[in-house]
């Protein structure tokens, strides 16, 4: 069977992260949503996404296809329903479609012609808002840990490591760690292939460290935190998700936050994750064009791909930073920084694509990744799409 993940109605609520990727390529837990579905279904899965993303993330369509809503994370019972779908059957949870078996991928689907299967598992994880990525990371990480480690044997834990609940720690081949403390009593700890945790670091689970990622000297980590492949973290990190290839390598605090790819947090930068009056945090919403309630008391920084901040940057509670921004200077920048902005608390100007692309090429080449024509075209589209938010 050919499976296709589609973005669904949550895509706009998941900006700025979905400016540069389909919903399926959001990382939550240990894996991306696409990687989870591929493991469960034993199949390569393509995506139906925005047209400007389709060159980099193409869709493969066959005569018969099962369409999967990428906002839903798979589990064993849901996957069992999906693999047994028949033509013109659809799985719904309340008013949201999870999957349907179709002979085409037309934009408008008349579900009145489908046989509807109700799926009422309250524990199924559904990613609808940006803050879901960190707030549901605990549950997603535990699920991924079970999925990835079932019937497998961990590499041995070095003798110099202080360990609590060693049976909840899994180390992949090539990982390096000495003289660190791992406390898995609060949740599992997964250390990816060729990753490194440097001396003096203290980590409480749930925690995931991706392939070739690095935890630098004397870092303090509170779960549930995910450090994606090729990332670097240092200082203090609490309940945050870094998608991949991003750096928060120095002292400073990052909490209840999400960083996309190719982000860099300058030394001694901090974000607030709790308002002084302890009120509910509001976040910028692109569809609404204004701030929306999160229902959370703790909520920090949402930073899109290729964005960076200078040393000693201070972010207010509930700050949303778009794609390809460069933030620096004293004071708190505003709680919403549009894509391709250059500046700080004293004001912003447009960060021209020519300069942004020059930086992206250098940054990506340092990790032996090419800044492709596809990447350039995507960012050019984002630049045009986000013009309305910038004020020079």
């Amino acid at each position: 069977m050919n499976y296709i993940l589609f973005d669904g109605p949550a895509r706009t609520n998941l900006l700025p992260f979905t400016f540069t990727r389909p919903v399926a390529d959001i990382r939550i837990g240990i894996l991306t949503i696409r990687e989870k579905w591929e493991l469960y279904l034993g199949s390569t899965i393509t995506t139906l996404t925005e047209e400007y993303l389709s060159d980099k993330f193409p869709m493969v369509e066959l005569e018969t296809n099962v369409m999967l809503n990428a906002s839903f994370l798979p589990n064993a019972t849901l996957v069992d329903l999906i693999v047994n779908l028949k033509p013109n059957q659809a799985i719904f949870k309340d008013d949201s479609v999870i999957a349907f078996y179709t002979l085409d991928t037309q934009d408008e689907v008349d579900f009145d012609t489908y046989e509807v299967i109700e799926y009422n598992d309250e524990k199924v994880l559904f990613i609808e808002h940006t803050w879901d990525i960190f707030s549901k990371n605990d549950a997603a990480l535990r699920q991924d840990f079970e999925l990835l480690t079932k019937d497998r044997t961990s590499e041995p834990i070095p003798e110099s490591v202080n360990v609590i609940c060693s049976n909840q720690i899994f180390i992949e081949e090539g990982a390096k760690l000495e003289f660190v403390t791992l406390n898995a009593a609060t949740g599992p700890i997964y250390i990816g292939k060729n990753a490194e945790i440097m001396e003096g670091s203290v980590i409480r689970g749930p925690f995931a460290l991706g392939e070739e990622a690095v935890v630098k000297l004397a870092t303090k980590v509170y779960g549930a935190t995910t450090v994606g492949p090729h990332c670097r973290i240092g200082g203090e990190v609490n309940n945050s998700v870094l998608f991949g290839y991003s750096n928060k390598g120095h002292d400073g605090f990052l909490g209840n936050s999400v960083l996309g790819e190719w982000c860099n947090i300058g030394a001694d930068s901090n974000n607030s994750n709790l308002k002084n009056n302890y009120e509910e945090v509001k976040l910028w919403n692109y569809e609404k064009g204004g701030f929306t309630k999160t229902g959370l008391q703790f909520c920090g920084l949402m930073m899109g791909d290729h964005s960076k901040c200078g040393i000693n940057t201070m972010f207010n509670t509930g700050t949303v930073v778009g794609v390809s921004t460069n933030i620096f200077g004293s004071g708190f920048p505003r709680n919403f920084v549009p894509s391709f902005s250059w500046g700080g608390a004293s004001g912003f100007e447009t960060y021209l694509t020519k300069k942004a692309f020059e930086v992206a090429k250098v940054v990506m080449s340092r990790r032996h990744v090419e800044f492709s024509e596809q990447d350039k075209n995507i960012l050019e589209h984002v630049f045009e799409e986000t013009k309305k938010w910038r004020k020079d």
Side-chain angles (χ1 to χ4, degrees):
M1 177 53 62
N2 186 50
Y3 297 100
I4 300 171
L5 283 156
F6 65 93
D7 281 349
R11 179 195 175 259
T12 307
N13 286 332
L14 291 166
L15 297 170
F17 305 112
T18 48
F19 273 135
T20 47
R21 62 177 55 75
V23 173
D25 290 287
I26 287 174
R27 185 174 303 278
I28 178 172
I30 302 173
L31 305 165
T32 66
I33 296 170
R34 184 200 302 267
E35 289 168 343
K36 299 176 202 295
W37 280 105
E38 288 182 339
L39 271 178
Y40 270 104
L41 292 168
S43 173
T44 300
I45 301 176
T46 60
T47 47
L48 175 60
T49 187
E50 298 293 303
E51 185 177 350
Y52 76 93
L53 294 171
S54 60
D55 281 348
K56 185 173 182 179
F57 305 96
M59 179 182 68
V60 175
E61 183 180 10
L62 301 181
E63 290 185 2
T64 59
N65 307 281
V66 171
M67 308 297 295
L68 306 169
N69 186 339
S71 289
F72 283 89
L73 275 55
N75 60 46
T77 56
L78 178 57
V79 168
D80 187 56
L81 282 177
I82 288 169
V83 297
N84 288 296
L85 275 176
K86 295 179 174 56
N88 278 63
Q89 286 185 330
I91 302 171
F92 272 75
K93 185 179 187 325
D94 300 324
D95 294 328
S96 298
V97 61
I98 299 176
F100 60 99
Y101 190 135
T102 182
L103 303 181
D104 54 50
T105 56
Q106 70 268 28
D107 291 336
E108 296 296 329
V109 180
D110 183 6
F111 287 112
D112 290 337
T113 64
Y114 279 68
E115 177 189 349
V116 172
I117 300 168
E118 296 289 344
Y119 181 74
N120 296 314
D121 184 356
E122 295 302 320
K123 293 183 179 179
V124 67
L125 294 177
F126 178 62
I127 308 305
E128 186 177 12
H129 303 286
T130 53
W131 58 85
D132 290 337
I133 299 169
F134 73 80
S135 65
K136 297 182 180 180
N137 195 48
D138 186 307
L141 204 156
R142 293 173 192 269
Q143 287 184 0
D144 284 355
F145 185 85
E146 292 296 323
L147 179 65
L148 288 171
T149 65
K150 185 178 181 181
D151 299 326
R152 298 179 62 215
T153 301
S154 169
E155 292 292 307
I157 300 173
E159 291 184 1
S160 68
V161 176
N162 292 322
V163 180
I164 302 174
C165 290
S166 60
N167 64 326
Q168 286 294 293
I169 296 171
F170 194 94
I171 302 172
E172 296 283 7
E173 180 184 1
K176 296 184 291 183
L177 61 159
E178 296 284 354
F179 298 100
V180 303
T181 297
L182 302 178
N183 180 2
T186 50
I189 294 175
Y190 175 87
I191 302 170
K193 186 177 179 181
N194 298 324
E196 181 178 9
I197 305 177
M198 294 184 181
E199 307 90 281
S201 296
V202 181
I203 295 171
R204 290 171 65 95
F207 174 71
L209 186 65
E211 184 173 347
E212 295 194 21
V214 176
V215 177
K216 300 184 78 173
L217 286 168
T219 300
K220 296 174 287 187
V221 181
Y222 300 84
T225 290
T226 295
V227 180
H230 305 277
C231 288
R232 308 284 185 268
I233 62 164
E236 183 179 1
V237 180
N238 175 31
N239 188 200
S240 295
V241 176
L242 288 72
F243 284 3
Y245 294 97
S246 288
N247 293 335
K248 189 263 172 214
H250 304 284
D251 285 344
F253 175 72
L254 182 72
N256 303 99
S257 297
V258 182
L259 305 184
E261 294 185 339
W262 307 108
C263 298
N264 190 73
I265 304 293
D268 288 319
S269 294
N270 295 278
N271 80 277
S272 168
N273 62 343
L274 174 68
K275 297 180 72 172
N276 288 348
N277 58 9
Y278 292 75
E279 286 186 351
E280 176 185 357
V281 180
K282 295 180 180 180
L283 273 185
W284 177 265
N285 179 276
Y286 285 87
E287 184 170 29
K288 181 180 176 182
F291 290 87
T292 189
K293 294 180 178 180
T294 64
L296 300 175
Q297 191 176 53
F298 289 89
C299 186
L301 170 67
M302 306 287 127
M303 179 178 277
D305 289 10
H306 293 284
S307 287
K308 297 164 179 61
C309 69
I311 61 171
N312 297 307
T313 302
M314 300 184 295
F315 291 105
N316 263 311
T317 317
T319 294
V320 175
V321 174
V323 174
S324 287
T325 69
N326 198 309
I327 300 170
F328 52 88
S330 61
F332 289 91
R334 60 194 185 191
N335 285 37
F336 168 54
V337 181
S339 298
F340 291 92
S341 295
W342 173 285
S346 60
F348 287 92
E349 59 186 55
T350 297
Y351 187 17
L352 298 177
T353 53
K354 180 182 178 182
K355 293 183 178 180
F357 295 168
E358 288 173 356
V359 172
K361 287 177 183 177
V362 173
V363 169
M364 294 174 70
S365 66
R366 292 176 70 242
R367 302 288 180 86
H368 310 291
V369 178
E370 179 190 3
F371 180 68
S372 68
E373 193 68 21
Q374 292 172 337
D375 296 322
K376 178 183 174 183
N377 291 339
I378 289 170
L379 292 179
E380 284 178 338
H381 180 95
V382 175
F383 180 85
E384 295 298 325
E385 187 177 338
T386 57
K387 271 184 177 179
K388 57 186 175 183
W389 307 122
R390 291 190 293 273
K391 297 178 181 177
D392 289 341

